Structure formats: C-alpha cells, structure tokens
Amino acid sequence: LLRLKLPQRLQDEVDVQSAGTLGIQGMAAAEYSVRVVREFGGDIGGHRSQGLSRKLVAASDLILAMAGEHVEHLRKHYPAYRENVFLLKSFAQTEPLEDPEIEDPIGSSLAIYRECGRLIADEIDRVLPAIVHLVKERRRETPRAPRNVFCCRARTGSAISCFRLRSRPRSKRNFHNAKYSFWRATMPRK
C-alpha cells in the first residue's frame, strides 16, 4: 500500500519491501491480502516473505511496526537501533493513542482484511508527509547523494516496516538532528 501511495516524484527514490519477525522466507502473501491490495489498485501476487535480519535492521533508520510485540522483539534483539523503532499508528503523533496497534488479520474473514487494509492505508496517508519531509531533509544533508536517497521497507498485517536512508549522514547526530527538526515541524503550534 505504501508503494501505491508514494508521490510519483519519489517512486525512483523509495523502495518498498517487507520483513516479518517470525523469520519466514519465501511464503506467498495470504489470498485475502492479495485481494485487498488489488482493490486498492496494487498487485502483490508475486510477493514472497522475508524474515527480519540484523543486516536489514542495521541498514534501517526508521522502523515502523504494526504491534507492540514487534516493537518489543526489535528492541530486545536489536537494542542498538531502539531509537529508530515506532508503531505505525504512533509515528508522528503528538499525543499518545489509546489503541496504537494494528492487529494481524491472518486467519480472519475478507471483511477483517479489508478493515485492516483501510486502517493501514489511512495511517500511510497520515505519515506520508513525514516520509516526504525526511526525504527532503536527507537531500539537504547530502546534496551530492545518489537519486536513491531513501529506502522504505514495509509490510501490511503483522510485520515490520523499515525505512532506510541509503545515503547516511556523516554522523549519527546529524540524522537525529534531522529527526528532531521533523518532530519540531510537525508539533502543533500553540
């Protein structure tokens, strides 16, 4: 869904992939997932699962999870990257949410898959300005960077979305300054 919603101007700069915490490799997307994404105008018929790996996490600057158990898994197994892990529904929010998780629809009815797809699509619409902002920040930090500045790894359902900046800033502090300027820019003015 993220791939479908990306502005055309970012299609060459943003690569959308997926990863799951169970480490399952090569499994096709659930039939209902394929149908729901098709209803949104996409095609994941050829999608195959991949497990979350140290290499993927290390290469990711922003990791968005659907459920709290995924955040816990990431923070436990990859503590060096805990500052980059968020729940999708909590990312770029100014207030804590009562229900910040998106439940995995696996084994549910098509109606539940559709509801999950709608919820994820709504959240992508909400966070897309933040993603665009981070891409723009990256362009300012690394003006001579290659076109592939920002890489998004995303997954619907119960897995992990990892956003990786392909051209890293000179220091980790620069990236955190960029994140801070984003949070400052999205905070409501009083």
Side-chain angles (χ1 to χ4, degrees):
L1 294 176
L2 177 60
R3 185 177 295 124
L4 293 173
K5 292 179 170 288
L6 281 171
Q8 189 62 39
R9 69 185 187 279
L10 297 182
Q11 291 289 326
D12 291 339
E13 295 181 60
V14 180
D15 177 30
V16 181
Q17 296 185 36
S18 67
T21 57
L22 294 178
I24 298 171
Q25 302 285 71
M27 192 169 192
E31 176 189 348
Y32 288 161
S33 292
V34 173
R35 285 178 64 177
V36 169
V37 172
R38 189 175 301 127
E39 290 170 7
F40 278 96
D43 181 10
I44 59 169
H47 170 79
R48 296 294 176 261
S49 64
Q50 71 172 336
L52 195 61
S53 67
R54 180 166 302 284
K55 181 178 178 181
L56 173 61
V57 172
S60 301
D61 292 298
L62 176 61
I63 301 171
L64 299 175
M66 302 299 132
E69 66 192 61
H70 303 132
V71 170
E72 290 172 22
H73 175 89
L74 283 155
R75 289 180 176 167
K76 178 181 177 185
H77 291 91
Y78 310 102
Y81 307 99
R82 66 184 308 113
E83 288 184 14
N84 299 340
V85 178
F86 299 89
L87 284 169
L88 173 61
K89 286 177 67 176
S90 296
F91 180 66
Q93 291 284 5
T94 57
E95 299 290 327
L97 300 174
E98 190 173 305
D99 183 18
E101 298 190 17
I102 297 175
E103 290 190 36
D104 186 353
I106 195 80
S108 298
S109 68
L110 179 57
I112 298 295
Y113 271 82
R114 284 182 173 134
E115 176 61 23
C116 184
R118 185 203 55 77
L119 181 58
I120 291 171
D122 289 349
E123 288 301 315
I124 290 170
D125 287 340
R126 185 185 63 75
V127 302
L128 202 52
I131 294 169
V132 170
H133 178 82
L134 289 172
V135 170
K136 288 178 182 177
E137 284 292 314
R138 180 51 35 149
R139 286 177 184 154
R140 278 192 280 264
E141 286 180 10
T142 54
R144 294 192 181 117
R147 281 197 68 162
N148 294 327
V149 174
F150 197 83
C151 175
C152 301
R153 301 183 187 275
R155 158 102 185 219
T156 59
S158 68
I160 309 301
S161 302
C162 303
F163 296 80
R164 186 184 85 196
L165 299 170
R166 286 191 177 169
S167 293
R168 296 198 176 272
R170 286 183 189 75
S171 73
K172 192 170 183 173
R173 183 175 176 192
N174 287 342
F175 176 71
H176 291 295
N177 288 342
K179 278 203 298 192
Y180 173 74
S181 67
F182 161 70
W183 292 122
R184 198 175 63 216
T186 60
M187 294 297 263
R189 305 262 187 242
K190 292 186 179 184

